[in-house]
């Protein structure tokens, strides 16, 4: 293994909430020892969340998840792009794309690197004063549409035109705002999965590459009560989708398994509990799932549990795609938030938003995890992405 093969670079986003320090940092991960070392503080000027690395064009895309961009007249977040040095992994800002909607929470690319997708976690709430029949005024909260956007990319990987925009409206009857939270792209590039934390549905969109559009194929509640689906990941080789949830119900923290066919029709197959064996959720403690990851071979699924403070490990059946809970590994710190597998599947990283604790776990051959003892601290940690040097 040469020097470049021994090292993988990690880009760690962080938020300003819960006392965190906003920004973006670069680490080196030693693939022999699992040691994590800080290389650079790229910026401390913006709250960052989801990120995506285009290994081919050496570009890092990061969601500036905020409600206001300086110099803009309207509420908005932005996508910030960094050109990565193929020799050192150093990041240099390449562009800023204002999305004209607040809180962009997820960014992803299609498999041909022609389009960029952005989901916006929430829309602003304005108060409109409406007139009653008797002439009296009363305040009514108005929820603005929350979009999923699609941009074309130029030859350098920089977002160009906004070519499609699909809005999720406020939830009927409740008036709750929609919260599109992810844009996961299927391995064949035909579908985009969107979890909406507001209405509880998983949406499966079909990409019309020729007309530069995407349209709804099907949607389905992720659980009977719609407990705020957060992230979706596709199985790398089989037509299965896995969704975790931000809310906990019925003393369970659920992961839902879906099948999808060639037409994009969803079928719900299983709702699996990720809670550690014998764990009971206290009524006074907030519980939610955060990061979600699937192994490169599709054999194992990992979800991060805030409350139990653990990573739950599932085995994925090679025929049915169904889940069997295998392990719960402790996460040390306050408010677990970030979770990611290295692209080779050898290591898993977790991060805690409030305390800033980052931990590196080794993935064993049977998919289970063991602590390496390698740690770092980054207040407000929210997301990881990886870059492998060329050569």
């Amino acid at each position: 293994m040469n020097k470049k093969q021994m090292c993988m670079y990690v880009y760690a986003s962080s938020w300003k909430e819960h006392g965190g320090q906003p920004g973006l940092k670069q680490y080196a991960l030693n693939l022999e020892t699992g040691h994590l070392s800080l290389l650079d503080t790229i910026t401390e000027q913006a709250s960052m969340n989801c990120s995506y690395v285009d290994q081919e064009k050496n570009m890092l895309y990061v969601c500036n998840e905020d409600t206001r961009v300086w110099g803009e007249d309207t509420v908005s977040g932005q996508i910030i792009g960094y050109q990565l040095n193929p020799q050192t992994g150093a990041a240099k800002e390449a562009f800023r794309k204002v999305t004209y909607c607040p809180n962009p929470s997820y960014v992803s690319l299609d498999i041909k690197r022609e389009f960029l997708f952005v989901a916006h976690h929430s829309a602003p709430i304005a108060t409109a004063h409406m007139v009653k029949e008797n002439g009296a005024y009363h305040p009514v909260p108005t929820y603005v549409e929350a979009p999923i956007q699609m941009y074309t990319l130029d030859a350098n990987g920089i977002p160009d035109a906004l070519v499609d925009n699909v809005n999720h409206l406020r939830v009927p009857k409740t008036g709750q705002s929609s919260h599109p939270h992810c844009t996961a792209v299927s391995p064949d590039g035909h579908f985009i999965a969107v979890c909406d934390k507001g209405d509880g549905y998983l949406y499966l969109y079909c990409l019309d590459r020729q007309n530069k559009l995407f349209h709804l194929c099907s949607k389905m509640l992720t659980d009977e009560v719609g407990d705020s689906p957060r992230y979706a990941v596709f199985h790398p080789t089989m037509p299965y989708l896995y969704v975790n949830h931000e809310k906990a119900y019925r003393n369970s923290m659920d992961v839902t398994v879906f099948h999808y066919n060639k037409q994009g029709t969803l079928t719900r197959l299983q709702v699996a509990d990720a809670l550690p064996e014998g764990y009971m959720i206290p009524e006074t403690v907030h519980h939610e799932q955060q990061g979600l990851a699937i192994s490169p071979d599709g054999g194992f699924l990992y979800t991060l549990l805030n409350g139990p403070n653990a990573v739950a490990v599932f085995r994925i059946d090679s025929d049915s795609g169904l889940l069997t809970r295998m392990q719960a590994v402790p996460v040390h710190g306050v408010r677990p938030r970030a979770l990611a597998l290295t692209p080779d599947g050898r290591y898993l990283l977790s991060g805690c938003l409030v305390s800033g604790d980052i931990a590196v776990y080794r993935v064993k051959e049977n998919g289970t995890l063991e602590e390496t003892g390698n740690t770092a601290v980054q207040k407000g940690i929210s997301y990881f992405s990886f870059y492998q040097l060329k050569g």
Side-chain angles (χ1 to χ4, degrees):
M1 183 180 289
N2 62 40
K3 186 176 180 180
K4 289 184 178 180
Q5 292 173 327
M6 285 175 57
C7 177
M8 180 171 290
Y9 292 108
V10 183
Y11 302 93
S13 309
S14 56
W15 276 357
K16 62 186 177 184
E17 67 177 27
H18 300 292
Q21 173 65 53
L24 181 67
K25 295 187 178 184
Q26 179 196 9
Y27 296 83
L29 177 65
N30 186 304
L31 295 177
E32 285 193 336
T33 66
H35 180 71
L36 192 67
S37 55
L38 178 64
L39 295 181
D40 186 28
T41 298
I42 300 167
T43 181
E44 292 182 333
Q45 301 305 312
S47 281
M48 302 291 201
N49 188 16
C50 175
S51 58
Y52 185 99
V53 169
D54 182 347
Q55 183 75 31
E56 296 177 7
K57 294 181 180 177
N58 308 309
M59 186 70 73
L60 169 67
Y61 303 85
V62 191
C63 291
N64 172 208
E65 188 164 343
D66 214 334
T67 58
R68 178 71 67 176
V69 174
W70 187 86
E72 295 293 334
D73 294 331
T74 184
V75 290
S76 179
Q78 58 188 341
I79 304 301
I80 304 177
Y82 295 89
Q83 192 72 50
L84 302 179
N85 185 307
Q87 302 302 317
T88 66
K92 180 181 179 181
E93 187 174 319
F95 70 85
R96 294 190 175 215
K97 189 70 172 181
V98 176
T99 64
Y100 297 104
C101 183
N103 299 322
S105 61
Y106 203 96
V107 60
S108 57
L109 271 62
D110 84 295
I111 61 172
K112 293 186 177 182
R113 307 300 193 263
E114 294 177 349
F115 304 111
L116 177 143
F117 303 98
V118 183
H120 292 80
H121 174 270
S122 59
I125 302 174
T127 299
H129 289 82
M130 309 297 290
V131 180
K132 288 185 177 180
E133 290 183 0
N134 62 7
Y137 288 92
H138 68 283
V140 176
T142 300
Y143 295 79
V144 182
E145 299 169 338
I148 302 103
Q149 296 177 334
M150 184 170 105
Y151 296 85
T152 53
L153 293 168
D154 69 14
N156 297 313
I158 297 176
D160 191 6
L162 175 63
V163 291
D164 201 6
N165 185 98
V166 174
N167 291 315
H168 283 198
L169 308 180
R170 64 180 181 178
V171 181
K173 297 183 181 180
T174 68
Q176 182 179 353
S177 177
S178 286
H179 297 282
H181 194 262
C182 70
T183 54
V185 180
S186 63
D188 62 7
H190 295 327
F191 303 109
I192 304 104
V194 175
C195 291
D196 193 316
K197 288 166 47 181
D199 64 14
Y201 279 83
L202 170 66
Y203 292 74
L204 196 60
Y205 290 97
C206 302
L207 175 61
D208 181 349
R209 189 177 299 277
Q210 182 176 357
N211 293 304
K212 300 180 181 179
L213 301 170
F214 62 101
H215 60 88
L216 183 64
C217 299
S218 61
K219 69 175 187 176
M220 181 171 287
L221 277 173
T222 59
D223 202 350
E224 295 296 334
V225 291
D227 48 354
S228 297
R230 183 175 180 83
Y231 288 125
V233 293
F234 283 89
H235 192 282
T237 60
M238 299 189 295
Y240 299 114
L241 259 170
Y242 301 88
V243 174
N244 70 356
H245 298 83
E246 192 162 307
K247 290 183 181 178
Y249 285 104
R250 306 174 305 275
N251 199 56
S252 67
M253 301 181 78
D254 297 333
V255 177
T256 305
V257 183
F258 291 89
H259 175 270
Y260 61 97
N261 63 17
K262 293 181 180 180
Q263 291 72 43
T265 302
L266 291 164
T267 303
R268 189 170 59 211
L269 301 179
Q270 181 190 21
V271 178
D273 186 5
L275 275 179
E277 190 69 32
Y279 185 93
M280 298 296 293
I281 297 179
E283 292 184 1
T284 58
V285 180
H286 182 66
H287 282 59
E288 61 186 27
Q289 292 180 77
Q290 292 285 333
L292 182 68
I294 191 168
S295 61
D297 64 359
F300 306 97
L301 188 77
Y302 305 87
T303 185
L304 187 60
L305 309 180
N306 175 28
N309 284 21
V311 180
V313 182
F314 290 94
R315 182 175 63 252
I316 300 175
D317 185 87
S318 59
D319 294 320
S320 67
L322 300 183
L323 300 175
T324 301
R325 189 176 54 203
M326 299 171 58
Q327 185 189 29
V329 178
V331 173
H332 308 289
V334 182
R335 200 180 179 97
R337 171 65 177 83
L339 185 79
L341 276 170
T342 56
D344 60 8
R346 295 170 60 186
Y347 293 98
L348 180 140
L349 276 64
S350 72
C352 294
L353 183 69
V354 175
S355 63
D357 292 278
I358 297 173
V360 180
Y361 301 82
R362 183 173 289 104
V363 182
K364 297 192 285 189
E365 288 187 7
N366 64 358
T368 59
L369 304 175
E370 62 179 5
E371 297 183 54
T372 65
N374 297 312
T375 61
V377 176
Q378 181 175 331
K379 294 282 286 184
I381 185 71
S382 61
Y383 210 90
F384 301 110
S385 59
F386 303 96
Y387 178 65
Q388 179 71 60
L389 294 184
K390 306 295 175 64

